[in-house]
Amino acid sequence: MTDPTLAITMAVTALAGLAMLTYATLNGWRGWLALKQQELQQHFGDRAVPTLPNASARIEIADLKERIRKLEAIAAGVDL
């Protein structure tokens, strides 16, 4: 079992197998993304696909909601 040729052959074989598995996984991932893209295009057609607001917009919306809550509490006569 100390034959260096055997160890090198096993390492190259394992590396080749890992490369094939990685390639197949990447191909599957790209296919799945293409399928989802096609589903979105069928569902929305020519309309733009909706996106989530960015973080700063969500923070601003949360701030506005907090201000509204405070104003409603002031209008109701509740001390904060």
Side-chain angles (χ1 to χ4, degrees), residues 55-80:
S56 63
R58 286 184 280 172
I59 291 171
E60 187 175 340
I61 290 171
D63 183 45
L64 290 173
K65 286 181 180 180
E66 181 67 22
R67 292 167 110 187
I68 290 171
R69 187 185 66 76
K70 287 180 181 179
L71 288 172
E72 288 173 344
I74 292 170
V78 177
D79 285 333
L80 296 176

Side-chain angles (χ1 to χ4, degrees), residues 7-45:
I8 291 172
T9 304
M10 294 294 282
V12 168
T13 303
L15 187 60
L18 181 63
M20 287 188 278
L21 182 65
T22 303
Y23 179 74
T25 303
L26 182 61
N27 246 356
W29 175 250
R30 286 180 180 162
W32 184 82
L33 286 177
L35 173 68
K36 292 298 173 183
Q37 182 72 26
Q38 185 180 22
E39 287 176 0
L40 285 173
Q41 286 179 351
Q42 284 178 352
H43 185 267
F44 291 105

